[in-house]
Every structure is written in structure tokens, then in C-alpha cells.
Amino acid sequence: MIFDILGSGKGKNPFPGYQLKVGELCSLPALTTNSANERVLTIPAGCIPVCIKMDPTFKASSGKGETSTLVLDVRDNNNKEFYRACRNGSGQIYNNGTAYLCPLGAYDGDLELAKTCTKIRVRAHNSGMEYLYSDYQYGKVAVTMWLEKNPGGG
């Protein structure tokens, strides 16, 4: 089915007015220090993210007693959650593998709703939404597949 969307001519485009594109639309570089509590990836106008690739490593820890509950999450500007990992107690949250997230799936494929996704937030926080942690890092985060509005809309 994806090959039909990409232009093999064998099927009908299930996303009228949009073209499926593959590559890198936009990205956040890897964060290797605690330089930001929350980082925001802005989606270019006329584009709908289909796949977000999160390179390893995505981790957070609170080893100095800042908080016992720690959360890593990825959400959009509409508060749709694409990724969430929680820790209660001591130690760290750690994801050592590449993660692939599907923002379009969070909107059940509804393009009218999905086109309102304009920002992706990546953050670590405690359950009270405060930024309390000892260490917070993640790899590159990129939109690697997206729908782009056809010129002229057709």
C-alpha cells in the first residue's frame, strides 16, 4: 500500500490533497547535557507528521532525591501523547533502542485533525509537571515521514 502512495500508480492515494514524503522534514539534535527542560520541534506549515524517529538513547534519572516519580514524554501542541515512560522510586528511565512514533495514528488518520499538529514537545518531568531530575538525555528526534500539501491542493 505504501508503494501506491509513493507513486507506483497501482492504487489510489488515501490522503487526497497530500503527498507522502520520506526523508527528514525537521529535527532536534541529540541532547547530551541537561541544557533544556523541554524542547520543541516545529512542523512546517502544510505538513502532517506521519513518523517520528527517536534515536537512542532516551533517558532520565533523579538520583539526588529531587523526585521519586519521573516521566519522559513526547506530545504535540494538542496534548496528544506519542510516547511516555514512567519511573516510580529510584533509578533511571532508559530506552536503548530507536523508537518510531506515529503521530497520524494518534488522530486515527483524520487529516483535518492531524493538520493541527504543529509542534512536538520532548521533555522529562515529575508527575506534577515540574522539571526535577539529575540527568536528562536523548538522541536525535526527527520527522522522517510526512504528508505534504499538494501544490494547488489537488
Side-chain angles (χ1 to χ4, degrees):
M1 180 63 155
I2 194 165
F3 298 109
D4 293 340
I5 296 168
L6 291 174
S8 71
K10 294 181 181 177
K12 203 171 188 179
N13 184 351
F15 306 113
Y18 288 88
Q19 255 187 319
L20 182 66
K21 302 251 179 145
V22 178
E24 186 175 297
L25 176 65
C26 52
S27 66
L28 291 172
L31 178 70
T32 57
T33 64
N34 296 330
S35 61
N37 294 324
E38 174 179 285
R39 296 180 71 200
V40 179
L41 179 61
T42 301
I43 307 301
C47 297
I48 299 171
V50 175
C51 180
I52 297 171
K53 180 181 178 184
M54 292 176 36
D55 290 341
T57 299
F58 194 39
K59 72 176 184 175
S61 64
S62 177
K64 297 176 185 169
E66 299 96 335
T67 184
S68 61
T69 303
L70 195 59
V71 179
L72 290 172
D73 72 9
V74 178
R75 294 176 182 259
D76 73 2
N77 55 289
N78 297 315
N79 214 28
K80 292 280 188 181
E81 188 169 68
F82 308 135
Y83 180 91
R84 181 178 181 87
C86 301
R87 180 215 66 185
N88 291 315
S90 61
Q92 69 178 356
I93 302 172
Y94 186 75
N95 173 28
N96 195 21
T98 301
Y100 297 91
L101 314 178
C102 182
L104 183 58
Y107 291 93
D108 297 323
D110 185 325
L111 297 182
E112 286 304 306
L113 291 175
K115 71 182 180 183
T116 66
C117 174
T118 59
K119 296 188 184 304
I120 307 294
R121 296 185 333 244
V122 181
R123 61 191 173 173
H125 56 85
N126 70 2
S127 58
M129 298 303 286
E130 297 175 48
Y131 300 107
L132 302 172
Y133 51 82
S134 300
D135 184 32
Y136 171 42
Q137 299 177 16
Y138 59 83
K140 180 179 177 181
V141 177
V143 175
T144 58
M145 188 179 291
W146 66 98
L147 295 172
E148 190 170 305
K149 195 87 166 138
N150 283 334

